Amino acid sequence: MEFNSLSFIIFFTTIFTLYWIIGSKNNRKQTYLILFGSYLFYAWAEWRFLIFLIFTSILTFYVGKFIEESKSIKQQKLLLFIGLLQGIGSLLFFKYSNLVIDSINSLFHIVQINQKIPRLDVLIPLGISFFTFRTLSYLLDIYHKKIDTCKDWLHFFTYVAFFPSLLAGPIDKSKLIIPQLEKQREFNYFQIKDGLKQILWGMFVKVVVADNCALIADNIFSCYNCWPAKTLLVGAFIFTIQVYADFSGYSNMAIGFSKLLGITITKNFNYPFFSQNIAEFWRRWHISLTSWLTEYLFTPLSIAFRNFNKFGTILAILINFTLIGLWHGPKTTYLAFGFFHGLMFIPLIIKGNINKKNKKLELKKLPSLKEFINILFTFTLVTFLFIIFKCNNLEEVKYIYTKIFSKSIFYNVVLIYENFNYTIFFIVIMFVLEWLTRNKEHPFELSNVKSKFIRTMIYYLVLLCIFIYSVDKGANFIYFQF
Amino acid sequence: MKIFIKNILYFIIPLLIVILLFDFIISKNLSECKSISHGEMGVWNDIYKRKIKAEIAVYGSSVACFQVNSGLVKKETGLETYNFGIEGHNFFLQYLRHKLYMKYNKKPKFIIYIIEPYFLSFNKELFSLEQFLPNIREPEVVDFTSQMEGLRWYDYFIPLIRYYGKTNEITDAFKNIIGLRENSYIRKKGFYGQKLTWDRTYLTYVKSTTDCYKKNIDIKSLNLFKKFISECKKDKIKLFFISPPVQKEGQSLICGKSKFDHLIKNIALKNKITYIDYFNDSICNDTNLFFNARHLNYKGANIFTHKIILDINKSLK
């Protein structure tokens, strides 16, 4: 059940109506409704996954409770270990077991052992990486005494399974969601109106921009050896925009649907393509994942490596980004994607620019030439790295890079897609709107447009664009697979 | 809450009106775009607008619409002829076209049915589904297309939703409104002659994928076919069954031809229907008359049409 499907619209309208009518004066009823809705939403894809989700919730809830109640540090450590083992263990099992098996088989082959371990035929529970990171942060925060345990199972289970962000994030911290579940939620007209606008923006970006980009990019990369360099390059740019539009579109819809339920969740993207260097890009891209890893991985690693000065930071960054790459799945291309992103940080670490924030740009109408070149350079760099992300193996990556830097870059671009022109038009519209509203949460706030009539007409126009220019059988959300 | 409901209604009510209006405008204009779905829309348009006054109707799939020249039939017989061949569809959907033709137009005196060995198999895919969109609420269309895959259950009753993401069709409809679309018939009285030369690609492709095509006879389609024959009998429509020529090399790709022949011959015999088999006709030896293994080109179509008329002319008097 995808956010842009009719079944979800029917599902959400029902939940929304019951939520504000039946549960308007009883926050427990509201929370029950969210939990029921979340489980229904999850079971819609595959009911067996629901058992796993409930099991993870139960285990984390009680392990958290016991950690807090336990007086002995040794016992706390053991409990934390159990909790982490379940979380990380299930992630490793579902996502990486075949990678491990393949590696062992390769090792057997090298040392000439005539044994082959069969690959496991496991279905990966949808959104496992997202809800597992939520439960892990909950346990770690309790262990480090950053938060108190959640006393009410209902609130905790709802936090873990909260359907707008269940399948593809954002990865919210419990201290953000649980307090909101505990208190009475009031029907806030302005919040709901804003939520609807944000959903519309997310829908536009996903359905009109991302899905059309997917048609082009998939076509180019499915036959990467058929095209000249320029076409591959165009494909790489289009794919990078596709990933952004797909994921940020989803995130905007998730935030919008949460607002409709009176709940605020984390912003996941902050106009990353206006970044002036790779560090800034990662502060603006998939924010909830990067901040999670910064808190629970990069910071402890930096402290552990602090004696190595800049080399220590480089090492921590490389480990952090390699894991970000691997988080996407058991593929060497994902690993390389993360590792190379890490490598791009090295010049910034050496120059000491890694944490430098450019606030000036947010206040300007247009960037200076230098800023523009920086933005363009960062976008191009990211695009080249997304080629790795798109490819199925490193041979493909090598082939494409070699081709792009070959003589065929001077040949004419070959594009046979009838949707190409309007896709480019909508990409430009998306970026222009984002640039103009980059200080706001989303471009459809339209607070500068004073006339209600014009605002309404803009929304109708967007709906019309979604209707006409969507792809009939659009691509699935890319991040659902992670 | 009250303000929210009020504002939502203010937003949705005009939207609903626009949706209904758009549904009407797009459907009306799309049905006028005669070249859509390789000209199928033109045929549907003629059917729904009661424009057909044929005495001879030609039925079948692409082998009918590509291969039987309605103009030539009229010239040689003096009888008004229309070709109802529907590309990519077997008997199940051919029967839908027949039903709607009968519903809105004068009955023909003769039906020349171009029968391929697979015409009684059932293809689930609703090929070229855009041709059905403008008239989706027609009860017969609902009945037949809903048994196939392509349209969703809600496409039949939620206005406009069936056009979601159909960029080309919506654009065509709007182009038609402002006169930007070339809107003449690409089929002449249903005939869609292909001025193409012989090309081996299709044959090579099929040979590389299979030894020969195997498709089972669908019982539902067979029963419907028997029903069709008895309906024609009742309406005093004389039927002719014609097995079309297949290019020599391509013949080996058709499995179960003799079994199928046996079935059709029996049905024909039982119902006193003329059955003429051109599967092995001399036409089949000349690749210049084909553009692929299964389809005659324009030149081949004229020769084939002439042969049919010569063979059935007496029966048409």
Side-chain angles (χ1 to χ4, degrees):
Chain A
M1 197 163 25
E2 294 193 352
F3 287 169
N4 53 335
S5 65
L6 185 72
S7 43
F8 184 80
I9 292 170
I10 295 168
F11 161 79
F12 190 81
T13 311
T14 316
I15 294 280
F16 177 80
T17 313
L18 295 173
Y19 187 82
W20 291 115
I21 293 173
I22 297 173
S24 64
K25 285 186 176 70
N26 186 331
N27 85 321
R28 256 195 110 67
K29 274 188 192 166
Q30 285 181 330
T31 314
Y32 270 120
L33 248 164
I34 299 180
L35 185 65
F36 169 74
S38 299
Y39 284 166
L40 183 68
F41 176 77
Y42 199 62
W44 196 277
E46 172 63 64
W47 66 269
R48 282 173 294 179
F49 296 161
L50 183 60
I51 299 167
F52 176 70
L53 178 69
I54 295 172
F55 167 73
T56 305
S57 304
I58 295 171
L59 192 111
T60 313
F61 180 73
Y62 282 105
V63 168
K65 190 171 178 267
F66 295 146
I67 289 176
E68 196 181 58
E69 284 169 2
S70 167
K71 300 280 179 263
S72 132
I73 293 186
K74 211 173 166 185
Q75 210 171 21
Q76 284 178 358
K77 272 190 179 165
L78 179 71
L79 285 162
L80 178 69
F81 177 76
I82 293 168
L84 296 185
L85 186 72
Q86 187 276 328
I88 299 170
S90 48
L91 257 185
L92 288 175
F93 172 75
F94 284 112
K95 288 186 82 169
Y96 306 99
S97 53
N98 280 328
L99 181 76
V100 174
I101 289 170
D102 289 346
S103 308
I104 294 171
N105 284 339
S106 305
L107 199 73
F108 282 174
H109 183 74
I110 291 166
V111 295
Q112 293 178 335
I113 296 176
N114 241 350
Q115 200 81 29
K116 214 170 183 189
I117 307 169
R119 292 184 111 239
L120 297 176
D121 187 19
V122 281
L123 275 177
I124 303 173
L126 281 174
I128 183 171
S129 310
F130 294 95
F131 66 76
T132 304
F133 270 43
R134 240 176 265 165
T135 53
L136 291 179
S137 72
Y138 175 75
L139 291 178
L140 286 163
D141 285 354
I142 290 172
Y143 179 78
H144 292 296
K145 307 213 171 355
K146 288 181 187 169
I147 55 163
D148 294 328
T149 49
C150 178
K151 302 286 181 282
D152 190 332
W153 70 270
L154 176 65
H155 295 144
F156 180 74
F157 280 41
T158 310
Y159 156 67
V160 176
F162 186 56
F163 71 87
S165 55
L166 178 61
L167 298 185
I171 306 162
D172 292 299
K173 302 284 296 272
S174 61
K175 64 182 173 198
L176 175 73
I177 303 294
I178 291 174
Q180 294 185 71
L181 295 172
E182 283 167 349
K183 67 175 187 198
Q184 179 65 44
R185 274 143 273 154
E186 301 291 340
F187 189 92
N188 181 333
Y189 171 69
F190 296 102
Q191 189 188 28
I192 286 172
K193 195 168 85 170
D194 190 48
L196 284 171
K197 289 175 186 176
Q198 198 159 359
I199 292 167
L200 188 65
W201 172 249
M203 189 87 86
F204 169 77
V205 166
K206 156 69 185 160
V207 168
V208 179
V209 181
D211 286 355
N212 276 299
C213 284
L215 277 186
I216 301 168
D218 287 351
N219 236 301
I220 293 176
F221 281 94
S222 64
C223 185
Y224 59 92
N225 45 7
C226 311
W227 309 109
K230 254 187 211 162
T231 309
L232 286 174
L233 203 55
V234 169
F237 277 106
I238 296 276
F239 175 68
T240 308
I241 294 164
Q242 181 206 336
V243 178
Y244 169 63
D246 188 277
F247 197 13
S248 75
Y250 173 86
S251 298
N252 272 308
M253 284 192 260
I255 296 168
F257 284 119
S258 305
K259 280 181 183 170
L260 259 55
L261 300 172
I263 289 169
T264 306
I265 59 173
T266 317
K267 187 177 179 179
N268 222 9
F269 289 87
N270 188 20
Y271 311 115
F273 289 143
F274 303 141
S275 308
Q276 295 195 58
N277 60 47
I278 198 78
E280 192 187 348
F281 173 82
W282 277 101
R283 282 196 294 273
R284 290 163 172 260
W285 176 278
H286 203 173
I287 298 166
S288 62
L289 175 70
T290 32
S291 36
W292 195 100
L293 284 162
T294 305
E295 186 174 347
Y296 300 108
L297 185 74
F298 176 70
T299 309
L301 281 176
S302 299
I303 294 166
F305 300 149
R306 64 180 175 269
N307 293 338
F308 304 109
N309 298 324
K310 282 182 178 172
F311 181 72
T313 315
I314 290 171
L315 204 61
I317 284 275
L318 284 177
I319 295 171
N320 193 38
F321 275 91
T322 307
L323 281 172
I324 285 184
L326 264 183
W327 174 87
H328 292 93
K331 274 167 77 175
T332 45
T333 46
Y334 290 150
L335 189 135
F337 169 78
F339 181 74
F340 281 108
H341 265 282
L343 282 184
M344 298 304 146
F345 275 73
I346 295 176
L348 297 173
I349 297 168
I350 292 169
K351 275 199 215 164
N353 283 349
I354 188 168
N355 289 319
K356 199 175 159 188
K357 284 177 187 165
N358 190 341
K359 284 267 176 197
K360 272 189 248 165
L361 190 63
E362 284 163 27
L363 308 168
K364 287 181 182 176
K365 271 194 175 168
L366 288 170
S368 67
L369 184 66
K370 191 187 162 204
E371 286 162 344
F372 181 70
I373 290 169
N374 284 344
I375 290 172
L376 210 62
F377 177 75
T378 310
F379 180 51
T380 311
L381 185 70
V382 169
T383 297
F384 270 85
L385 293 172
F386 263 107
I387 292 175
I388 310 174
F389 190 87
K390 177 70 177 167
C391 289
N392 293 314
N393 52 57
L394 292 176
E395 281 76 42
E396 263 181 41
V397 179
K398 193 179 156 201
Y399 179 91
I400 291 172
Y401 279 154
T402 318
K403 187 126 185 200
I404 285 177
F405 292 107
S406 72
K407 261 194 261 171
S408 78
I409 196 75
F410 299 110
Y411 300 168
N412 283 338
V413 62
V414 181
L415 289 164
I416 47 161
Y417 312 102
E418 52 183 23
N419 69 339
F420 187 76
N421 289 343
Y422 64 77
T423 304
I424 297 295
F425 171 75
F426 287 119
I427 289 172
V428 172
I429 292 279
M430 178 182 80
F431 282 136
V432 169
L433 281 175
E434 286 201 341
W435 176 262
L436 293 174
T437 58
R438 65 197 183 283
N439 298 326
K440 294 179 179 151
E441 200 185 340
H442 61 89
F444 277 176
E445 278 185 21
L446 296 184
S447 49
N448 296 338
V449 183
K450 296 287 174 242
S451 159
K452 193 180 171 185
F453 176 76
I454 294 175
R455 279 202 307 270
T456 311
M457 285 302 123
I458 292 173
Y459 298 134
Y460 280 145
L461 188 69
V462 174
L463 281 175
L464 190 69
C465 286
I466 290 174
F467 183 74
I468 298 176
Y469 294 104
S470 61
V471 177
D472 192 15
K473 288 183 178 83
N476 287 336
F477 286 102
I478 294 176
Y479 269 69
F480 274 12
Q481 61 186 300
F482 306 134
Chain B
M1 180 87 105
K2 273 181 194 162
I3 306 171
F4 174 75
I5 294 170
K6 193 184 89 184
N7 283 345
I8 279 287
L9 288 176
Y10 281 166
F11 188 81
I12 285 177
I13 290 169
L15 194 66
L16 286 176
I17 296 168
V18 171
I19 284 173
L20 290 170
L21 204 67
F22 265 50
D23 188 307
F24 174 74
I25 292 170
I26 293 172
S27 298
K28 184 179 177 295
N29 284 281
L30 192 65
S31 66
E32 285 171 9
C33 298
K34 300 178 191 84
S35 60
I36 283 186
S37 298
H38 293 178
E40 297 294 355
M41 198 65 94
V43 179
W44 289 117
N45 199 10
D46 286 348
I47 291 174
Y48 287 117
K49 292 198 169 167
R50 304 169 195 270
K51 285 184 182 172
I52 299 160
K53 291 176 177 62
E55 286 165 287
I56 301 178
V58 180
Y59 282 11
S61 63
S62 57
V63 290
C65 68
F66 291 173
Q67 304 188 159
V68 182
N69 186 341
S70 339
L72 191 62
V73 178
K74 192 196 169 185
K75 198 177 158 192
E76 296 195 3
T77 61
L79 298 172
E80 200 63 52
T81 306
Y82 200 100
N83 191 325
F84 293 91
I86 179 167
E87 217 183 322
H89 286 291
N90 296 336
F91 179 74
F92 189 69
L93 252 283
Q94 291 165 18
Y95 183 68
L96 167 68
R97 185 165 267 188
H98 163 77
K99 291 267 279 182
L100 290 166
Y101 164 42
M102 292 294 170
K103 183 176 173 183
Y104 289 107
N105 300 272
K106 203 183 122 204
K107 291 180 185 84
K109 285 181 185 160
F110 309 99
I111 291 175
I112 300 173
Y113 215 122
I114 310 296
I115 286 172
E116 280 187 291
Y118 308 123
F119 103 115
L120 285 177
S121 65
F122 182 70
N123 190 3
K124 266 191 170 184
E125 187 206 349
L126 190 56
F127 182 74
S128 276
L129 68 84
E130 59 279 1
Q131 61 184 298
F132 304 102
L133 298 179
N135 299 295
I136 202 168
R137 284 187 200 93
E138 192 74 35
E140 291 83 356
V141 175
V142 177
D143 189 19
F144 280 76
T145 58
S146 61
Q147 296 180 55
M148 302 175 83
E149 282 171 4
L151 290 163
R152 297 153 297 196
W153 59 270
Y154 49 81
D155 285 332
Y156 294 99
F157 66 92
I158 300 180
L160 201 68
I161 206 158
R162 64 191 181 280
Y163 292 113
Y164 177 79
K166 302 265 187 308
T167 313
N168 293 337
E169 285 71 28
I170 298 170
T171 314
D172 279 336
F174 282 102
K175 275 185 181 170
N176 189 58
I177 297 171
I178 49 176
L180 272 178
R181 200 175 187 285
E182 168 57 40
N183 216 358
S184 51
Y185 282 97
I186 59 166
R187 296 190 183 189
K188 286 177 184 160
K189 300 271 178 194
F191 169 58
Y192 193 24
Q194 302 292 308
K195 288 181 178 163
L196 299 167
T197 50
W198 169 248
D199 183 356
R200 285 190 64 84
T201 320
Y202 172 74
L203 190 65
T204 319
Y205 167 73
V206 177
K207 276 187 166 179
S208 70
T209 54
T210 179
D211 289 339
C212 68
Y213 273 135
K214 268 182 201 157
K215 279 188 181 173
N216 295 328
I217 290 171
D218 171 54
I219 298 299
K220 193 169 64 180
S221 298
L222 179 63
N223 291 336
L224 208 58
F225 183 55
K226 286 176 181 169
K227 189 180 162 206
F228 162 75
I229 293 170
S230 56
E231 280 171 358
C232 287
K233 249 189 201 170
K234 206 174 129 198
D235 290 335
K236 295 188 174 114
I237 300 169
K238 192 169 169 55
L239 281 167
F240 298 96
F241 290 167
I242 308 289
S243 170
V246 173
Q247 191 267 341
K248 202 82 194 164
E249 213 182 327
Q251 288 178 3
S252 61
L253 295 171
I254 295 171
C255 304
K257 163 80 171 128
S258 54
K259 194 180 160 193
F260 177 78
D261 269 349
H262 182 71
L263 174 77
I264 294 297
K265 271 179 192 165
N266 273 345
I267 293 174
L269 199 69
K270 196 176 156 194
N271 296 285
K272 292 175 189 152
I273 296 167
T274 312
Y275 173 59
I276 311 168
D277 191 352
Y278 295 94
F279 186 77
N280 244 333
D281 191 83
S282 57
I283 299 177
C284 307
N285 301 321
D286 188 355
T287 45
N288 291 323
L289 302 178
F290 289 83
F291 70 90
N292 67 30
R294 278 180 59 207
H295 297 105
L296 291 163
N297 58 22
Y298 187 78
K299 194 178 163 193
N302 283 341
I303 295 171
F304 177 53
T305 308
H306 181 66
K307 281 196 173 217
I308 297 175
I309 299 307
L310 277 182
D311 289 339
I312 65 168
N313 214 357
K314 272 185 198 164
S315 313
L316 294 174
K317 304 293 176 199

